[in-house]
Amino acid sequence: MVSDIKVSIKNLYKIFGPNPESVLGEAKAGMSKADLLEQHGHVLGLKDVNIDIQARGIQVIMGLSGSGKSTLIRHINRLIEPTAGEIIIDGQDVLAMSDEELLNFRRFKASMVFQKFGLLPHRTVQDNAAYGLTIQGMDKDEAIEKSSYWVKRVGLAGFENHYPAQLSGGMQQRVGLARALATDAEILLMDEAFSALDPLIRTDMQDVLLDLQEELHKTIIFITHDLDEALRIGDDIAILRDGAVIQQGSPQEIVLNPADDYVRDFIKDINRARVLEVSSVMDSKKPRSGVKVDKEMVIEEALQIATANDYKPLIVTEEGKAVGSVQFDAMISAIARPEKDAERNPEYR
Amino acid sequence: MDFFDEFPSLGRGPLRDIKKAIDASFKGFSREYGEALEAFFYPLLKFMVWFEKLLIATPWPIILLIIGALAWVGSRNIKLVVGSVLAFGVIGFFGMWEDTMATMAIISVATIVCIGVGIPFGILMARSDRIQSIITPVLDVMQTIPSFVYLIPVVMLLGIGKVPGLLAVCIYAIPPIVRLTNLGIRLVDADVMEAATAFGANYKQRLWGVQVPLALPNIFAGVNQTIMMALAMVVIASMIGVKGLGVPVLRAISNQYLALGLMNGLAIVALAIIFDRVSQQYGKRLQKHREGGHGV
Ligand SMILES: Nc1ncnc2c1ncn2[C@@H]1O[C@H](COP(=O)(O)OP(=O)(O)OP(=O)(O)O)[C@@H](O)[C@H]1O
Ligand SMILES: [Mg+2]
């Protein structure tokens, strides 16, 4: 994928309280969230956040409750004004936009899906899905015609005339997704969009999203506090703690090299076989015979293949060319949970 | 020790002067602007006269039909329709038809005026906390000040008649609709408002597309309250020249006609119950979309 940066967040600070500017200096000097609250009565929402978000990928932002995820995503469409910093989207400074430009940015360029759905209870599924288009100024019939495609795409055909209260949570969020997709915005902001759904429905919705993304290639910023979800859908993951980004990288990088105990604690229960790729455990030997696997294959799949082939080493290929091999034992030890995880004490919770 | 025995008050002389000065300046004001105000309210007066005449001149069966139809449209409840028509039938049978029509006329106009003025003020109030903190005490005064007290300046300004009566009714009846419009808008789910904002809705789109429709049940409760309070003012309004069921009640008070007072009083009660039930049912119907057990 050609990497170009769609959204660039630079030195972003957000402080909640009566007079944020007055304590910005302290925050910039590195005062902790707890101290800032105790000594100055201000809440440090975001602290020196720097994230470059690739176009056409899924950027996950992860963190525990209160770590500032919602605050961060709301800066991107300026539902929240920062205390300091920059947000550049397609070379344009979001903070410099006039009211008119901001309205148009929200109408055409970035749409949003919410944890609590945020549907209009007095409008039908159809009208809710068409909401963004009517706000754009599109004529009602046209808006409904256009959005009905998305209603079908998210699997709600036949429910057009239902009211949100008549739908299950999963179906309501499908409406939320259809509403966001209908505006054709290039950027999709999703704030814990699937967190309110039960696990099976959540996996369903992730599939819906991934399928759509296959063909739509939007720039998706996806907030979650669930690592499995993050690993499953994220191309890149940024981890927030107390308003600061403590690690950013691909799922594999984060699992292999957790930046600190906070991250380590996050990843301790995940299924490593499903995240780690063969490339992380391969050696440079090139056996003459063996079954070929791509270096980006996850270990879980490679193990299947190795098992079916008498546990012999597999040949690792990159774009069809052999680049090394992977041993059965190496794969097994890679997916075992690292020793020290067991005794650590997550005192920061 | 004189100081503690008698409250240190302004002497009689200065007090009288103050009162005189206030009276004089208000009289001056009403002399100056009374006519202009009357001219301003003239179209309203004409409308009220026309509407009252219309109600009285329309043959009673047609009115009964209209009442039945309105009750049906509002409540979709056949019992209420039958009850309303029956109540009006009894009222007419006991010779109170014309007075009832006159009362209906002033209540209708007062309600329309209150809605027309009250809802915009409620919207304004919901827009900022400062405006709310200014309007709230004014509403408190309007609701608690004895009506006789504001009858005085109203009569001084506009004399006796339909318009001052209407004003008196409105002053008393408008607060609930303003309050409940404000409340209804403020109670709109913040998540829904945020979603609207995130999709680029401007103030107008948020107001008319989200806030007002979602506040409608509350606004409607305000309309209901307003109608009830307007009915409660019928007797007092008749003291300053408004025709209707209040007039015989007044006559009954001064002459100790128990039966007359009772009958007309009960007619007012009947009107109140009909208006209340029908409008409540309508308000409930406005909330239909909230049905379905998933709690939005
Ligand atoms: N309007 C506000 N006023 C004061 N503090 C706020 C405000 N909004 C958020 N905060 C604080 O900012 C911090 C980050 O909040 P935020 O809602 O962004 O967390 P989150 O990561 O989205 O959490 P969750 O997973 O619970 O949604 C919290 O400490 C919160 O208390
Ligand atoms: Mg949140």
Side-chain angles (χ1 to χ4, degrees):
Chain A
M1 190 192 294
V2 202
S3 68
D4 51 336
I5 287 162
K6 184 86 176 171
V7 180
S8 177
I9 297 168
K10 290 185 185 141
N11 309 326
L12 191 68
Y13 282 86
K14 176 66 190 181
I15 298 167
F16 295 103
N19 191 0
E21 264 79 25
S22 69
V23 295
L24 181 60
E26 268 102 336
K28 280 191 170 169
M31 185 179 267
S32 77
K33 180 169 177 167
D35 287 345
L36 199 74
L37 185 60
E38 194 159 307
Q39 293 172 26
H40 300 286
H42 283 67
V43 177
L44 185 54
L46 293 174
K47 178 177 166 185
D48 199 17
V49 173
N50 289 282
I51 302 179
D52 284 336
I53 295 169
Q54 304 286 335
R56 298 180 292 282
I58 302 184
Q59 169 74 55
V60 169
I61 293 167
M62 213 178 72
L64 296 177
S65 189
S67 57
K69 306 180 297 289
S70 299
T71 307
L72 177 58
I73 202 171
R74 278 166 178 68
H75 275 86
I76 294 172
N77 57 357
R78 242 175 91 186
L79 290 176
I80 296 179
E81 297 283 339
T83 309
E86 278 181 81
I87 296 153
I88 312 288
I89 296 179
D90 284 337
Q92 199 188 7
D93 186 357
V94 178
L95 302 176
M97 284 181 187
S98 67
D99 290 352
E100 186 71 31
E101 285 171 322
L102 183 61
L103 280 187
N104 283 328
F105 171 78
R106 289 173 179 165
R107 285 175 185 173
F108 296 99
K109 203 138 182 197
S111 57
M112 196 159 180
V113 184
F114 300 86
Q115 177 170 9
K116 292 183 198 147
F117 318 138
L119 301 176
L120 303 176
H122 62 297
R123 298 198 185 186
T124 58
V125 166
Q126 192 166 53
D127 291 350
N128 264 291
Y131 184 70
L133 295 174
T134 51
I135 292 297
Q136 286 177 356
M138 192 181 281
D139 162 88
K140 176 131 196 242
D141 292 337
E142 202 186 335
I144 286 190
E145 195 189 312
K146 199 170 165 217
S147 61
S148 69
Y149 168 77
W150 293 106
V151 172
K152 291 193 189 85
R153 276 308 299 269
V154 299
L156 285 179
F159 290 94
E160 283 85 352
N161 293 318
H162 284 60
Y163 286 94
Q166 301 169 323
L167 304 179
S168 69
M171 288 158 93
Q172 290 188 43
Q173 196 57 301
R174 283 168 196 258
V175 181
L177 193 57
R179 173 175 69 178
L181 293 171
T183 64
D184 275 338
E186 298 159 13
I187 300 173
L188 191 56
L189 306 172
M190 306 182 73
D191 184 9
E192 302 214 25
F194 304 152
S195 297
L197 310 176
D198 58 52
L200 277 181
I201 309 281
R202 192 188 303 183
T203 319
D204 258 9
M205 291 299 286
Q206 290 164 1
D207 289 336
V208 170
L209 182 69
L210 289 172
D211 282 351
L212 288 165
Q213 175 66 353
E214 282 278 282
E215 86 190 55
L216 299 175
H217 301 298
K218 289 183 187 282
T219 303
I220 301 180
I221 297 159
F222 191 99
I223 303 268
T224 180
H225 58 242
D226 173 4
L227 187 70
D228 280 320
E229 185 167 66
L231 295 173
R232 178 138 194 259
I233 67 172
D235 295 317
D236 190 276
I237 300 175
I239 299 179
L240 274 184
R241 175 184 172 189
D242 288 347
V245 177
I246 50 173
Q247 187 169 14
Q248 184 180 5
S250 68
Q252 157 134 306
E253 278 161 24
I254 286 177
V255 172
L256 285 177
N257 304 307
D260 64 6
D261 281 354
Y262 180 81
V263 182
R264 216 167 280 130
D265 201 46
F266 251 125
I267 62 173
K268 73 166 192 266
D269 292 327
I270 57 145
N271 181 352
R272 299 165 65 89
R274 215 172 266 174
V275 179
L276 296 181
E277 296 167 0
V278 174
S279 60
S280 68
V281 290
M282 73 176 188
D283 49 49
S284 53
K285 282 178 253 163
K286 292 181 190 158
R288 220 151 298 135
S289 69
V291 182
K292 288 179 181 170
V293 296
D294 189 86
K295 76 190 253 269
E296 285 182 10
M297 180 179 282
V298 292
I299 290 181
E300 186 175 53
E301 277 176 60
L303 275 175
Q304 288 280 326
I305 297 173
T307 310
N309 289 286
D310 298 332
Y311 315 106
K312 286 197 199 111
L314 303 173
I315 300 176
V316 180
T317 62
E318 184 174 6
E319 288 166 356
K321 267 178 42 194
V323 289
S325 69
V326 58
Q327 315 294 322
F328 187 78
D329 308 356
M331 290 195 280
I332 294 291
S333 46
I335 63 174
R337 192 190 298 165
E339 190 67 40
K340 56 182 167 182
D341 275 354
E343 71 242 24
R344 257 178 336 90
N345 169 25
E347 88 285 330
Y348 43 79
R349 281 214 198 203
Chain B
M1 280 325 259
D2 273 2
F3 184 77
F4 290 102
D5 291 340
E6 187 106 357
F7 199 94
S9 64
L10 272 176
R12 265 167 141 215
L15 206 54
R16 195 185 50 224
D17 290 343
I18 290 177
K19 288 178 190 162
K20 258 192 180 166
I22 294 176
D23 285 354
S25 68
F26 191 77
K27 266 187 198 138
F29 173 81
S30 77
R31 214 171 294 129
E32 192 95 357
Y33 297 103
E35 253 167 61
L37 273 174
E38 252 169 62
F40 174 78
F41 285 118
Y42 185 68
L44 192 62
L45 177 65
K46 271 193 83 172
F47 176 73
M48 288 173 74
V49 171
W50 171 80
F51 191 58
E52 190 183 315
K53 275 198 183 139
L54 180 75
L55 281 186
I56 294 174
T58 308
W60 62 266
I62 295 182
I63 298 274
L64 281 188
L65 260 177
I66 294 175
I67 285 165
L70 284 181
W72 175 250
V73 169
S75 68
R76 295 287 152 84
N77 180 335
I78 197 73
K79 268 195 227 157
L80 255 177
V81 174
V82 174
S84 310
V85 173
L86 233 108
F88 272 86
V90 171
I91 286 170
F93 190 67
F94 280 92
M96 297 179 285
W97 187 261
E98 269 194 26
D99 283 339
T100 303
M101 288 305 113
T103 293
M104 294 259 289
I106 179 132
I107 298 301
S108 311
V109 176
T111 305
I112 294 168
V113 170
C114 286
I115 290 174
V117 177
I119 290 180
F121 269 101
I123 290 172
L124 209 65
M125 237 171 125
R127 195 168 179 175
S128 94
D129 288 342
R130 265 203 43 214
I131 299 179
Q132 176 175 253
S133 67
I134 295 168
I135 295 184
T136 304
V138 175
L139 296 179
D140 292 340
V141 170
M142 286 163 77
Q143 269 184 310
T144 47
I145 197 168
S147 2
F148 292 105
V149 175
Y150 57 75
L151 283 186
I152 305 164
V154 167
V155 171
M156 278 168 80
L157 265 178
L158 298 162
I160 290 230
K162 281 192 167 49
V163 168
L166 179 74
L167 275 188
V169 172
C170 285
I171 291 175
Y172 184 68
I174 208 172
I177 191 162
V178 179
R179 278 191 215 278
L180 281 157
T181 302
N182 172 45
L183 182 74
I185 291 179
R186 284 173 183 266
L187 284 182
V188 169
D189 195 351
D191 295 318
V192 178
M193 283 307 288
E194 185 181 49
T197 311
F199 276 90
N202 56 27
Y203 175 72
K204 261 194 190 160
Q205 288 169 323
R206 288 197 303 260
L207 181 66
W208 298 112
V210 184
Q211 290 178 312
V212 169
L214 290 186
L216 264 190
N218 270 312
I219 294 178
F220 213 76
V223 173
N224 172 292
Q225 289 293 304
T226 290
I227 298 175
M228 294 302 107
M229 293 181 69
L231 272 168
M233 281 291 285
V234 161
V235 176
I236 289 175
S238 69
M239 292 174 63
I240 53 171
V242 174
K243 281 198 247 162
L245 290 167
V247 178
V249 172
L250 270 188
R251 195 147 33 91
I253 294 172
S254 44
N255 298 316
Q256 301 181 358
Y257 296 148
L258 173 63
L260 181 71
L262 211 57
M263 276 200 291
N264 284 278
L266 286 178
I268 296 176
V269 171
L271 284 189
I273 293 177
I274 293 168
F275 279 133
D276 181 59
R277 295 300 182 277
V278 172
S279 62
Q280 261 184 25
Q281 289 290 329
Y282 183 71
K284 268 193 203 145
R285 288 228 325 280
L286 285 178
Q287 303 203 53
K288 252 222 140 134
H289 57 79
R290 286 169 199 230
E291 281 171 17
H294 298 290
V296 162

